[in-house]
Amino acid sequence: MTTKSELSAANRELIAENRLTIGDPPSAEEVLAYTSGGLAPDQEARIRERLMAYPELVRALTTPFPEGAEADHPDYLSDHEFARHWKALQKRRQRPDGVPRYWRAVGAIAAALAVVLGGLLWRAEVQLRQPQAVWQLQDLYPDGQRGIGGSPNTVTANGESYLLVPSLGSDLAVDQLRAEIVDAVNPSRPIWIGKAVPRTPNGSFVILVPRESLKPGTYRLVVYGITGERQEPLNSYTLRVPER
Amino acid sequence: MNNDDRFQSLYRKYYKRMVRFYVLSFRVTEEDAEELTQDAFFRFLEAMDEYRGDAEWAYLETIARNVAYNRIRSQKTAKRGAETVDIHDRNAIPEPAAPAEPDYAQREEAALRSKRLRDAIAGLPNGSRECIQLWLNEFTYDEIAKFLKITVDAVKSRLRDAKKILRARLGDADGLPEDEE
């Protein structure tokens, strides 16, 4: 009689054989794209196949993440314990390995960006004080649901903004929704991260994106559903911003 | 609450549980788990100023998984590029151990049986094969569903199909009971 343990041993051998032909595991960026659900079906299948050859990595993706301990629980770090850890972290931050100089450079770039974005925000705010007729909403259809070939949602600006309406369905069992826009080529690079907003009774969710924040190119909008302290990606939508 | 306060709050809440998460899920030593946890928190601290969302625990989770994923991945990649030895160097390769029991015929039979099982798994339809391979690796129904992005009911149905096909191919009507999780 075939037992589970006998079949498991054969499966381990099969996986070891597959690794020889499949090659290295997918990169963290590929895995992020896989888990956020924004890939074409054939790309997704290829990454899944490579992950299947490395069950330890699948475990890294599927094991539930723990919830935080309450302050009166023994798992909550004491003042003394935290002070010791904090000191070690501060020491690590100040290591003479070029990190502070790098962060100074990042800080300078961030300050310059803040000035530019501040200007853009001020301009947008001035415009938003005036009533405006909205003439075009951009209905977005999720990846994998746009038919064979699945060309991306092409978006065009409505004045100085894009008004995006991702199709989500009305039977969502989540408390809040949150959206992120990432670079389609490098999904680990966020373009914009939105705050969580309560789900409306009819499930409608509209996102206003300043025109200036999306240069011509391809992006991925990922909508997350949040219930309590858990969030899961609901859908992803590939956006193409054409040349102006 | 400023960034340091927010960081302190998350650190105190999550540190011990993240260490346990790494130990149980990634089968690393306590020492390695502490190192991974500190690494994840260090990255989180460095990136915190740039984070614009308000679900910091979710951001911490992403970083924590990435840290573990990259660590395991780099170990796998390092193994593939392991040092090679000259096969003519008699000192480099130890003498093969004398074959232990069972005897040659039994070993041949076991090897043939193993190949038959491997072929049977490899020959399953993709969806059923993925489910049964993950099940054989001790993933729960929920974990399989999450990874394959299908429902738990679909996992159960695919597993039933896989077991049915395997039983038929192996000529083993009593093998792999349905209710075995």
Side-chain angles (χ1 to χ4, degrees):
Chain A
M1 188 176 94
T2 310
T3 61
K4 184 178 178 182
S5 61
E6 191 185 12
L7 209 56
S8 295
N11 185 45
R12 281 195 295 276
E13 288 173 19
L14 181 63
I15 286 173
E17 279 173 12
N18 287 346
R19 282 188 186 182
L20 298 175
T21 51
I22 277 177
D24 284 341
S27 67
E29 286 75 22
E30 288 174 307
V31 168
L32 192 68
Y34 176 81
T35 50
S36 59
L39 295 170
D42 58 330
Q43 283 178 307
E44 191 172 279
R46 272 199 299 274
I47 292 179
R48 186 166 55 239
E49 191 62 32
R50 282 162 67 201
L51 278 169
M52 288 289 298
Y54 295 90
E56 313 89 312
L57 295 176
V58 176
R59 204 167 291 287
L61 305 176
T62 55
T63 306
F65 195 69
E67 292 193 0
E70 296 298 327
D72 55 353
H73 194 277
D75 281 348
Y76 193 85
L77 281 193
S78 67
D79 290 344
H80 173 70
E81 285 172 315
F82 179 74
R84 190 166 46 83
H85 285 242
W86 182 242
K87 204 172 159 187
L89 272 171
Q90 291 301 331
K91 212 169 172 181
R92 186 172 171 182
R93 279 185 109 178
Q94 287 156 10
R95 264 197 325 222
D97 55 2
V99 172
R101 197 168 27 170
Y102 166 75
W103 283 106
R104 272 201 298 278
V106 170
I109 295 168
L113 278 174
V115 172
V116 174
L117 287 172
L120 289 172
L121 278 172
W122 175 79
R123 204 174 78 182
E125 199 171 311
V126 167
Q127 283 167 349
L128 286 172
R129 282 190 198 130
Q130 307 296 324
Q132 290 181 50
V134 175
W135 59 274
Q136 193 179 14
L137 297 172
Q138 311 273 318
D139 289 319
L140 305 180
Y141 296 97
D143 295 334
Q145 294 180 30
R146 293 191 303 273
I148 298 165
S151 57
N153 296 281
T154 301
V155 295
T156 46
N158 172 25
E160 287 304 308
S161 307
Y162 299 99
L163 263 177
L164 308 177
V165 188
S167 160
L168 286 168
S170 55
D171 54 347
L172 293 173
V174 296
D175 299 333
Q176 292 180 298
L177 294 166
R178 195 173 69 73
E180 281 181 17
I181 296 177
V182 298
D183 189 309
V185 180
N186 179 8
S188 61
R189 191 169 78 86
I191 305 294
W192 171 77
I193 298 176
K195 285 191 168 187
V197 294
R199 181 183 62 83
T200 57
N202 63 2
S204 61
F205 186 45
V206 182
I207 303 161
L208 179 75
V209 182
R211 182 178 182 165
E212 296 295 334
S213 61
L214 293 183
K215 290 179 185 166
T218 310
Y219 302 90
R220 188 165 297 127
L221 170 75
V222 186
V223 177
Y224 294 89
I226 301 176
T227 303
E229 285 209 330
R230 290 278 144 213
Q231 79 164 3
E232 295 282 345
L234 295 176
N235 275 328
S236 90
Y237 310 78
T238 303
L239 312 177
R240 191 177 75 82
V241 178
E243 295 286 343
R244 288 163 195 172
Chain B
M1 204 188 257
N2 64 29
N3 270 2
D4 282 355
D5 292 339
R6 291 205 323 254
F7 177 79
Q8 181 178 157
S9 164
L10 277 172
Y11 196 96
R12 296 176 77 171
K13 274 179 164 181
Y14 281 93
Y15 184 84
K16 285 185 184 172
R17 293 191 175 179
M18 265 172 69
V19 170
R20 218 171 295 138
F21 167 70
Y22 283 132
V23 169
L24 295 176
S25 318
F26 306 107
R27 285 136 200 202
V28 295
T29 63
E30 180 98 12
E31 197 183 343
D32 279 346
E34 291 226 21
E35 196 185 315
L36 285 169
T37 306
Q38 284 161 12
D39 202 17
F41 270 111
F42 179 74
R43 284 159 201 263
F44 178 71
L45 180 63
E46 293 291 312
M48 213 174 161
D49 290 341
E50 291 172 58
Y51 181 64
R52 293 286 169 268
D54 53 1
E56 278 140 350
W57 55 267
Y59 193 43
L60 176 65
E61 177 178 344
T62 305
I63 291 177
R65 285 191 195 279
N66 269 355
V67 163
Y69 183 87
N70 281 329
R71 171 74 65 91
I72 302 168
R73 186 180 185 277
S74 67
Q75 285 167 350
K76 298 289 159 203
T77 312
K79 272 187 195 166
R80 288 169 53 78
E83 191 184 344
T84 54
V85 293
D86 182 355
I87 57 166
H88 300 298
D89 180 356
R90 295 174 70 92
N91 296 324
I93 305 166
E95 276 297 305
E101 293 296 330
D103 67 16
Y104 178 79
Q106 283 172 315
R107 278 185 285 127
E108 274 298 288
E109 194 185 332
L112 278 173
R113 165 83 173 154
S114 171
K115 182 166 185 335
R116 201 162 159 238
L117 292 176
R118 291 200 303 273
D119 290 346
I121 299 170
L124 289 169
N126 273 351
S128 302
R129 178 180 53 76
E130 287 165 348
C131 275
I132 201 136
Q133 284 196 287
L134 292 167
W135 177 74
L136 290 171
N137 272 307
E138 307 298 339
F139 284 90
T140 63
Y141 292 156
D142 281 339
E143 289 167 343
I144 298 171
K146 185 177 178 185
F147 175 64
L148 296 178
K149 301 174 183 177
I150 56 177
T151 63
V152 170
D153 284 342
V155 171
K156 289 178 183 171
S157 159
R158 286 184 192 184
L159 274 176
R160 264 196 307 273
D161 291 346
K163 287 178 184 177
K164 197 172 159 188
I165 296 171
L166 286 174
R167 278 195 293 266
R169 284 190 185 160
L170 298 169
D172 183 2
D174 301 323
L176 297 169
E178 291 294 348
D179 54 354
E180 192 180 9
E181 185 170 359

